[in-house]
Amino acid sequence: MEYYVKSVLPIIESNYENFTPLEKTIADFFIHNREKADFSAKAIAKRLFVSEASLSRFAKKCGYRGYREFIYQYEETFMEKQAAVASHTRMVLNAYQELLNKTYSLLDEDQVIRICDMLEQAERVFVCGRGNSGLAAREMMLRFVRIGVDIDAIQDSDLMRIQAVFQKEGCLVIGISIGGEAKDVLYMLQESHKRGAKTILITGNNHEEHREFCDEQVLIPSLKYLNYGNVISPQFPILVMLDLIYSFYLKKDTYRKEALHDNTVKALKGE
């Protein structure tokens, strides 16, 4: 069975903060709609009291050439929600499946390959985050250090600001902020970029202004828009993306990296 289908919903969600109030009205309709209907530009414009030109601008802001292309993708992936209440177990598992589907829809494999190249070329890597994002940053450090990446995780706000001063060409700084608003993480990315380091932001919000100081902005699903998102750990969408980056990175020179990993296992066992 094919579980993963490209969907427009996570694209709408990740761009939500970039929309005008009118465009947010359109976005809210498509995010929350659960019924099959006439989705033509004329019908939706009449239903939402907006112009067809507004629908076109909304679709283009989502990355589509126009409303027709947008609605074709929307209808392709639209499925009517079942009214029956699922069991508690099924509810939780369905929430995880929904998250995985959204990750698949947002995933840009070419971008992941570029990030792997940046990891290969970097002399030093720093990954930073606060709270749950900080725990995910530490997990990334523990995994990548075992396959030969010179990487440190920073969870302390003061250390982020201090380390930002010492970044330079040849360094890679990865910031994790689901909301895209963690000031210390953004500060480290901005200052590191000024000093010539490569920068990556992993986030659930596609803030256009962040592109000025981020070489790559990696989008992950936001739990805010997820059905029953409150039952899922905020770390999970980050860890899924880190697993994808790790698997792509491991594919490059697999034998050497697996040998390094095995050596760390032996070292931990005291062999």
Side-chain angles (χ1 to χ4, degrees):
M1 179 182 287
E2 179 59 71
Y3 290 105
Y4 303 110
V5 179
K6 289 285 185 182
S7 169
V8 303
L9 294 183
I11 296 170
I12 297 173
E13 293 162 2
S14 64
N15 284 289
Y16 193 84
E17 297 305 320
N18 298 327
F19 295 143
T20 64
L22 181 64
E23 290 164 347
K24 285 181 178 179
T25 299
I26 299 170
D28 289 338
F29 169 75
F30 287 111
I31 290 171
H32 300 296
N33 177 56
R34 296 293 182 266
E35 299 177 351
K36 292 180 181 179
D38 179 359
F39 296 119
S40 66
K42 184 176 181 180
I44 296 301
K46 183 177 180 180
R47 182 169 181 170
L48 300 181
F49 303 101
V50 299
S51 68
E52 292 184 33
S54 296
L55 292 175
S56 179
R57 286 192 293 271
F58 165 78
K60 288 177 180 177
K61 198 168 277 190
C62 290
Y64 295 92
R65 286 173 292 184
Y67 181 76
R68 181 176 294 181
E69 183 183 41
F70 165 83
I71 208 62
Y72 175 80
Q73 185 73 58
Y74 182 77
E75 288 180 320
E76 280 283 296
T77 58
F78 181 79
M79 292 186 296
E80 191 170 351
K81 298 293 183 181
Q82 296 297 319
V85 177
S87 70
H88 185 73
T89 300
R90 185 178 295 276
M91 178 193 77
V92 175
L93 295 178
N94 283 346
Y96 275 99
Q97 185 61 59
E98 185 180 353
L99 178 65
L100 293 172
N101 275 318
K102 290 189 173 189
T103 300
Y104 177 69
S105 296
L106 291 170
L107 180 65
D108 180 346
E109 291 190 350
D110 290 336
Q111 181 183 57
V112 175
I113 291 169
R114 291 195 300 271
I115 290 170
C116 290
D117 289 339
M118 293 164 77
L119 284 164
E120 285 276 6
Q121 294 164 12
E123 298 170 13
R124 191 87 187 275
V125 180
F126 292 89
V127 55
C128 60
R130 299 292 313 281
N132 284 295
S133 296
L135 294 173
R138 177 170 169 77
E139 172 66 15
M140 182 179 184
M141 182 271 289
L142 290 172
R143 296 193 71 187
F144 278 83
V145 76
R146 295 179 66 179
I147 53 174
V149 178
D150 188 354
I151 181 171
D152 279 314
I154 308 175
Q155 297 171 265
D156 181 80
S157 297
D158 291 341
L159 281 177
M160 288 182 206
R161 291 179 175 269
I162 292 169
Q163 281 292 348
V165 176
F166 300 107
Q167 300 309 302
K168 58 184 178 180
E169 189 173 344
C171 293
L172 170 63
V173 176
I174 302 171
I176 304 174
S177 174
I178 297 175
E181 297 174 348
K183 292 181 180 179
D184 302 313
V185 172
L186 296 178
Y187 178 86
M188 184 165 184
L189 290 170
Q190 286 176 303
E191 293 302 311
S192 300
H193 187 265
K194 285 180 187 176
R195 290 167 169 77
K198 295 289 185 182
T199 51
I200 298 169
L201 175 62
I202 299 175
T203 182
N205 281 321
N206 185 18
H207 291 293
E208 293 178 357
E209 61 269 25
H210 293 164
R211 298 186 184 278
E212 296 176 10
F213 55 86
C214 294
D215 295 290
E216 299 287 349
Q217 190 167 212
V218 182
L219 296 178
I220 58 174
S222 171
L223 298 183
K224 179 169 65 172
Y225 301 106
L226 194 66
N227 289 337
Y228 309 110
N230 57 320
V231 304
I232 291 182
S233 165
Q235 294 177 54
F236 189 77
I238 308 169
L239 295 176
V240 171
M241 182 56 68
L242 294 181
D243 280 346
L244 287 164
I245 295 171
Y246 183 86
S247 67
F248 272 77
Y249 186 76
L250 200 59
K251 277 180 65 178
K252 302 178 69 172
D253 198 4
T254 303
Y255 180 80
R256 182 182 68 85
K257 289 169 183 172
E258 287 184 345
L260 288 170
H261 184 274
D262 290 344
N263 287 339
T264 63
V265 171
K266 291 176 181 176
L268 290 170
K269 289 180 176 178
E271 295 178 13

